[in-house]
Amino acid sequence: MDVNAAVAAAAAIAGLLTGVIAVLTFRWSEREQARPTRSSMRPDVNAVLPPGVDTVLSVLRSSAVVLDESDSVVKASSAAYALGLVRGGKLAVDPMLHMARDTRRDGEIRQVELDLPRRGTGRGEALAVSARVAPLGSRLVLLLVEDLTEARRIEAVRRDFVANVSHELKTPTGALSLLSEAVMDASDDPEAVTRFAGRMQIEATRLTNLVQELIDLSRVQNDDPLEDAEPVRVDELVAEAMDRSRHAASTKNITMAAGGTEGLYVWGNRGQLAAALGNLVENAVNYSPARTRVGIAGRRISAPGGDLIEIAVTDQGIGISEKDRERIFERFYRVDPARSRATGGTGLGLAIVKHVAASHGGEVTVWSSEGQGSTFTLRLPEAAASRDRSPVAAPDDDESADTAAGPYETTDREPIPHPEVLP
């Protein structure tokens, strides 16, 4: 009996201890679950933001940042991080932060345009943005930022273009107005009338050329040349460009020589390609002294993405300085404005060449040395038809390379005039 009582007492004590341990374990587990962790300290976006806001922000093109009442970032798009607006969980742009605080205080929507330093550059380039702040619920503030840098650049280009066009148009139209008055005043002097009428014809021609080149530039910028693309024979483009400048060349006793590999074809719009090469040859003739030579040569060169056709136009003109070489393809830019007006140049020819080359998947480059001349090289993708029509000169054969380059040898480094062609 005593033994049974002892066993029962021991069992009761063991059960009591087990219950105490279970209670303590349960309490400890609850305490551990209630303790904050690194992940639980992060705000739950879906719980903080109003329903549907997170989805809307994810599809916006603007950079979006949502701030809470302590100015901490609750939500930020990847574009906001890329622009450097958010760093370390905080809004890094003080003017925007002040706007957010003011909006949180009075609930008014605010907007401002700012110039921010561009991240990762040491050149001090500014990033133009437009920031708009609005309240989002009772505790949150929404910041939307638009990048205006490219829009401002395009606007500056358009503004300069309009100003240049206005200036270029006023010059010949003003001259025509003055000359017409001079003709009326000199009605009793046939010699003066003839002289003034000749000047009027020159200014009218300049005005016509300017309007035509503006139309051509607009066309090559807006049209897709590959819609009407076809294999175009390079020999025909060269012949057409030479015919276009033959009268001007003969007036100055300039010899035009064509050479290089025959039977080459490029793929593109024939009219645009003829205009581009014609502009290069015309410039070479206009800016070359009398009794010199202009050479046009075509050849095939190897490239990683496929063979290219290279058409080089070389002159013995005054050359282009290094500082001007970087800008000669800009619209209305002239190395020598006085000389350009004397030759009837509009400042749009090389801009047209650049756009035609780019729209055809090619490029135009220039080599020049003051007092020695210039070489403009137009590189365009080869049309497949030409590969079966003409042999490729061996790249390691000096004689073949000279033949392919024609009267002027053009390389990726410097063009070197051949002594048997140049005096």
Side-chain angles (χ1 to χ4, degrees):
M1 193 70 179
D2 293 337
V3 174
N4 292 334
V7 171
I13 294 173
L16 180 61
L17 292 175
T18 302
V20 171
I21 292 173
V23 171
L24 293 176
T25 303
F26 179 74
R27 294 288 180 85
W28 178 83
S29 176
E30 283 187 334
R31 187 177 298 133
E32 285 297 318
Q33 291 181 3
R35 180 179 300 173
T37 60
R38 293 178 67 93
S39 59
S40 65
M41 292 177 67
R42 298 177 183 175
D44 185 354
V45 174
N46 296 324
V48 175
L49 293 179
V53 173
D54 185 44
T55 303
V56 173
L57 295 181
S58 64
V59 298
L60 286 178
R61 299 181 62 182
S62 306
S63 302
V65 181
V66 179
L67 304 177
D68 61 13
E69 62 271 15
S70 62
D71 293 333
S72 297
V73 175
V74 176
K75 173 73 175 179
S77 62
S78 58
Y81 285 98
L83 290 178
L85 304 179
V86 178
R87 298 176 190 171
K90 295 289 185 179
L91 187 62
V93 184
D94 289 338
M96 296 182 186
L97 186 59
H98 295 323
M99 288 175 56
R101 291 171 179 171
D102 294 339
T103 297
R104 186 185 299 112
R105 184 180 63 254
D106 55 26
E108 293 185 5
I109 298 176
R110 289 175 169 82
Q111 184 171 353
V112 67
E113 293 189 2
L114 301 171
D115 291 332
L116 306 179
R118 192 184 294 269
R119 296 183 62 187
T121 61
R123 295 176 292 179
E125 296 180 352
L127 187 70
V129 299
S130 174
R132 185 179 179 87
V133 181
L136 186 63
S138 59
R139 299 184 300 112
L140 304 179
V141 173
L142 173 62
L143 172 67
L144 296 178
V145 180
E146 294 280 353
D147 187 356
L148 304 178
T149 307
E150 184 65 15
R152 283 192 179 181
R153 188 192 66 81
I154 295 175
E155 176 62 22
V157 171
R158 186 196 65 80
R159 187 169 53 250
D160 292 343
F161 179 73
V162 172
N164 288 330
V165 168
S166 301
H167 174 73
E168 295 295 333
L169 289 175
K170 284 195 303 184
T171 300
T173 53
L176 287 173
S177 177
L178 293 175
L179 289 169
S180 62
E181 293 179 4
V183 169
M184 294 177 62
D185 294 339
S187 57
D188 56 346
D189 187 352
E191 183 178 350
V193 170
T194 302
R195 184 172 67 254
F196 292 143
R199 290 294 305 167
M200 290 178 67
Q201 187 176 11
I202 293 174
E203 296 298 334
T205 302
R206 177 179 299 172
L207 182 60
T208 302
N209 293 338
L210 176 59
V211 173
Q212 183 59 50
E213 291 201 348
L214 285 172
I215 295 173
D216 293 341
L217 181 59
S218 176
R219 182 179 295 116
V220 300
Q221 286 180 319
N222 297 327
D223 293 348
D224 183 4
L226 300 184
E227 289 184 356
D228 302 322
E230 60 179 333
V232 181
R233 189 180 178 93
V234 174
D235 297 338
E236 296 177 357
L237 294 177
V238 172
E240 186 174 338
M242 293 175 65
D243 289 340
R244 172 175 166 179
S245 300
R246 196 173 301 280
H247 176 71
S250 62
T251 302
K252 300 171 65 176
N253 292 322
I254 293 177
T255 302
M256 292 189 295
T261 306
E262 297 182 355
L264 299 177
Y265 283 76
V266 293
W267 184 261
N269 183 290
R270 178 184 177 83
Q272 292 190 13
L273 293 175
L277 185 58
N279 286 344
L280 292 180
V281 175
E282 186 176 10
N283 280 355
V285 171
N286 289 339
Y287 289 91
S288 292
R291 293 177 294 278
T292 57
R293 289 179 178 267
V294 171
I296 308 99
R299 65 173 180 173
R300 180 187 293 112
I301 60 173
S302 299
D307 289 349
L308 299 176
I309 300 302
E310 184 179 86
I311 308 173
V313 179
T314 304
D315 62 62
Q316 297 173 284
I318 58 176
I320 306 170
S321 65
E322 184 175 358
K323 66 180 181 65
D324 289 321
R325 257 174 265 157
E326 300 177 356
R327 302 191 57 191
I328 57 176
F329 294 103
E330 296 179 9
R331 290 171 291 189
F332 294 111
Y333 184 80
R334 294 184 176 94
V335 176
D336 186 352
R339 185 179 180 90
S340 297
R341 296 192 184 281
T343 58
T346 62
L348 291 174
L350 291 180
I352 293 175
V353 175
K354 178 182 177 181
H355 281 288
V356 170
S359 62
H360 282 75
E363 64 173 352
V364 59
T365 58
V366 59
W367 173 92
S368 185
S369 178
E370 293 186 83
Q372 297 186 26
S374 306
T375 295
F376 286 84
T377 303
L378 187 62
R379 295 186 180 92
L380 299 167
E382 178 190 21
S386 66
R387 187 174 298 280
D388 302 329
R389 305 183 187 216
S390 61
V392 181
D396 55 350
D397 188 343
D398 294 338
E399 184 178 355
S400 299
D402 289 349
T403 302
Y408 296 90
E409 175 186 1
T410 56
T411 67
D412 291 336
R413 296 183 298 275
E414 291 184 357
I416 305 173
H418 286 277
E420 65 270 16
V421 176
L422 301 183

